[in-house]
Amino acid sequence: MPAPIEGRGYRLEFEFHPPLLTVHLRGVVSPEANLAVTTEYWQQIARTVREVGAEQLLVLDELPGEVMSDDDLLRFFDSLAGLGLEKVQIAYVEARLDQVPRIEYAQLLAQERGYQVRAFANEPEARLWLRYGGA
C-alpha cells in the first residue's frame, strides 16, 4: 500500500486494489494557496498512479474549501498535461454538495483535454461507474 503523503494543508491516504487506486484527500487549504496546493497534490496523485500501475482512480475529496476560479482551473489543467492521468479512468467525489456544480464545470474542462473523468456527489455512484463503465 502506498504510504500517506503530507503536504501544505493536505493529507493523501491511499488504498490500492488493482486496478483501482483510491485516494482520500483531507485537510484544509487556504484560498490564496488553492491553485499551488491543488497542483501539488494532483502531481503526487499522478506519481502514485504511475508507481503502482493503476488503471482507475477514485478521489474522495474531503477538503472544505472552494473550487478554484475559471482562470485557475485552466492553469491547473495546463500544469497536469503529460503526467499520465489521461490514461486513467478517474472518478472524483466532492463531499461538499454546494461545490458539485463547480466540480462538474471542472469535469468538462478535463474532458475537453482528453481525460476520462466523471464527478460524483457520492462514493457508491462513483464506484459503480468505475466498475461498469459508461461515459
Side-chain angles (χ1 to χ4, degrees):
M1 204 65 54
I5 296 173
E6 298 278 349
R8 296 180 294 162
Y10 68 88
R11 178 179 172 88
L12 302 174
E13 298 170 0
F14 301 97
E15 297 172 37
F16 185 53
H17 302 285
L20 175 64
L21 177 66
T22 301
V23 181
H24 296 268
L25 174 57
R26 298 183 171 107
V28 178
V29 176
S30 66
E32 57 276 355
N34 200 2
L35 174 60
V37 173
T38 301
T39 300
E40 179 182 306
Y41 65 69
W42 273 98
Q43 289 170 344
Q44 296 281 7
I45 291 169
R47 183 176 304 115
T48 304
V49 164
R50 289 190 310 271
E51 286 172 358
V52 302
E55 297 171 10
Q56 296 178 316
L57 177 62
L58 173 60
V59 177
L60 304 172
D61 183 350
E62 300 172 24
L63 295 175
E66 305 285 322
V67 176
M68 290 177 263
S69 69
D70 291 359
D71 288 342
D72 281 352
L73 280 170
L74 294 173
R75 284 191 282 274
F76 167 70
F77 285 115
D78 288 346
S79 74
L80 293 185
L83 295 181
L85 291 173
E86 304 89 348
K87 302 172 188 159
V88 179
Q89 182 185 17
I90 304 169
Y92 186 92
V93 179
E94 172 58 55
R96 285 187 51 191
L97 293 180
D98 65 313
Q99 291 297 299
V100 169
R102 290 291 299 155
I103 290 295
E104 289 173 343
Y105 175 69
Q107 169 187 308
L108 291 174
L109 291 176
Q111 289 171 338
E112 287 174 355
R113 286 160 177 75
Y115 294 94
Q116 185 184 355
V117 60
R118 277 206 48 203
F120 297 89
N122 64 68
E123 184 178 347
E125 285 182 17
R127 288 188 180 276
L128 201 62
W129 179 73
L130 287 166
R131 178 161 298 176
Y132 297 107

